[in-house]
Every structure is written in structure tokens, then in C-alpha cells.
Amino acid sequence: MFDPDHSYPYRRVGDHSDITTNRKHVEHLTIYQFNTELYPYLIEVERYPYQIYVFKFYRRIHKRNKQRFNLLTNEGKCSRIIGTCFNIFLTIFQRNPLASFGFLGSHTIDRSKNIVENKSETRRFVVYRQAVQNYFGIETFTHFEDKETSIYLSISNQNKDVHDIADKATIIINQLIEE
Amino acid sequence: MRKMGKLIAPFNQKKDVCESIATVRLASKPKGSLSKITASEIKARRVSAYRYLLP
């Protein structure tokens, strides 16, 4: 489960530096594509200051949908998709041992079932957190979370001051949330 | 001459003030404030059957 050995083959389809429009604080954006048995998906990897890499994924067909992170695909391939994200992060970490891994567990919106999940400690957050803690240990990373916003950050212990990075990340998160 | 003791609030009143300050501080914890997860929390939650990708 969540194992990168079972990740989907992926390829890079986009590479953007100096993102300024509607992606505040993002220094670099890389987009990957992979295909499950049913659908093509996109993974966006945003690099923030302090070598923080935030992973986001969604079905390619939902690319222009504002709720693309909130939709359920009901495909049942969550573990392999997360394994694919881990695989990409491992590649980044091999190149850059200061890299930290972050995500936001978006709340689910399913109009057909009349479900609008609360934003705190979402189901996605709980599942992704479990996956991260199963595979990324405390020797390599110091783990931080904010249950209220469902944000998780594993900071590489090779950084000089992980708590300082967490504080700076909090400032960035606050600015992003306020918008 | 005025006694210093008169300037100090009675015990109960001080307690109220302290509690209200604490309440305000709790209420004003900014959204998105990251808290460290302790090693014991992670060990308790982790499913040890999985092998670490990074220890």
C-alpha cells in the first residue's frame, strides 16, 4: 500500500519558473502526468521557499475545475497514486536532501450525495498523514501538522533549524489562507 | 499614605483576568500554525509492517 514500487509510470509535462500569477510564494512548478487503468491524472509539484515541495493531484479532465482537489474519482486507486507522489518526491530528495514534503488534505465536495466536508482534519488529510508516517521516519524528517487546515509538512532534518522553517512556513500558510 | 496592597486586585479578580487572557490567546491561535508531531505520537500511529522509504 502506498508503495512507490507500485507507482504508476509518470512523465514530466510542464516546468514553470517564476510563477507569479495566482500562485503566491511558489518558486517553481513542475507538472507530471500518469495514467491509471481508467483515467489520466496530473500531479502538480510546487516548490516554495526553504525547499518545501507541495504535492497536489487531480484527474486531468478536471484541470480547469475550481474544485478539482475536492472531487472524488471513486476509482479506488488512492494508494498507487500516493505511491506515485512518493516516488517523485524520492527522486527530488535524492537530488536535494534539504527538500521537505508537504500537502493539504482537501475537503471533499460531492454535490450528488450532498456531502461538503469540514476543512479541519479531512479524510484525505488522515489518509495521507498515515501514508507519510508509514514511509518517512523521524530520523530523516521532523513532522508538523495543522489539523485545523489539514496541512502537513515533513521537514528534512538535514536543514539547520527545522523549527525555524516550520515557523516561516506558518507565515506563508497564513498569507495563503487569508487570500 | 496609600497602601500598595490597594493597587493589587483581589485574588479572584486576578484569576478572572488570567483566564480571560488565556482564552483570548487560545482563540487567537492563527490558522495554519504548524505544530510538531512528537516521536511517540508517530510511533503509536505508524503501521510497523511497512518498510521505510526514508528512515
Side-chain angles (χ1 to χ4, degrees):
Chain A
M1 205 180 178
F2 307 119
D3 196 328
D5 291 345
H6 300 107
S7 104
Y8 290 105
Y10 61 87
R11 64 191 172 93
R12 195 167 58 198
V13 293
D15 231 340
H16 311 278
S17 288
D18 302 321
I19 307 290
T20 50
T21 50
N22 59 36
R23 287 189 195 254
K24 200 175 174 183
H25 296 295
V26 175
E27 295 174 339
H28 192 91
L29 169 70
T30 309
I31 303 173
Y32 300 88
Q33 182 176 321
F34 64 91
N35 297 312
T36 64
E37 289 76 358
L38 294 178
Y39 309 119
Y41 280 78
L42 295 175
I43 298 177
E44 293 182 0
V45 182
E46 293 176 333
R47 193 188 74 215
Y48 286 84
Y50 317 107
Q51 319 287 338
I52 296 170
Y53 292 80
V54 173
F55 282 66
K56 304 172 169 183
F57 63 84
Y58 50 86
R59 268 184 66 193
R60 194 181 64 183
I61 198 171
H62 298 141
K63 188 179 176 182
R64 307 213 180 277
N65 188 329
K66 283 185 178 176
Q67 295 180 341
R68 60 190 178 278
F69 302 116
N70 310 101
L71 302 172
L72 289 175
T73 63
N74 293 315
E75 196 186 349
K77 299 294 180 190
C78 167
S79 59
R80 282 192 74 183
I81 293 171
I82 294 171
T84 309
C85 293
F86 284 174
N87 212 0
I88 293 171
F89 180 70
L90 283 178
T91 311
I92 293 168
F93 192 79
Q94 280 166 1
R95 285 198 316 259
N96 178 9
L98 299 178
S100 300
F101 179 89
F103 67 81
L104 186 155
S106 298
H107 63 295
T108 296
I109 298 174
D110 189 341
R111 301 281 178 208
S112 65
K113 293 177 184 168
N114 212 14
I115 295 172
V116 180
E117 194 184 11
N118 195 293
K119 288 184 180 176
S120 62
E121 215 168 358
T122 62
R123 283 184 290 178
R124 283 187 180 88
F125 173 77
V126 172
V127 171
Y128 302 164
R129 179 181 64 186
Q130 185 69 55
V132 170
Q133 293 182 356
N134 284 348
Y135 287 102
F136 298 136
I138 54 176
E139 281 177 38
T140 317
F141 295 99
T142 303
H143 299 256
F144 295 85
E145 67 180 354
D146 177 47
K147 290 178 184 172
E148 198 181 346
T149 51
S150 297
I151 289 174
Y152 195 98
L153 183 59
S154 299
I155 299 179
S156 168
N157 288 336
Q158 300 220 27
N159 288 288
K160 279 183 186 169
D161 189 343
V162 292
H163 291 91
D164 184 50
I165 291 179
D167 290 342
K168 286 169 176 163
T170 294
I171 294 169
I172 292 172
I173 292 166
N174 280 321
Q175 289 175 2
L176 294 175
I177 286 171
E178 281 170 11
E179 288 179 355
Chain B
M1 193 175 159
R2 196 175 180 187
K3 286 184 183 175
M4 289 301 286
K6 287 190 177 177
L7 295 173
I8 300 171
F11 177 76
N12 286 343
Q13 197 180 328
K14 278 200 290 184
K15 192 180 168 196
D16 289 347
V17 171
C18 289
E19 281 178 352
S20 63
I21 289 170
T23 308
V24 168
R25 281 187 183 153
L26 279 174
S28 62
K29 174 186 172 286
K31 259 188 168 184
S33 294
L34 294 168
S35 310
K36 185 184 170 184
I37 310 174
T38 62
S40 56
E41 275 180 275
I42 290 176
K43 282 176 187 169
R45 193 181 290 132
R46 182 170 187 269
V47 181
S48 57
Y50 297 109
R51 65 179 173 86
Y52 279 124
L53 298 170
L54 294 165

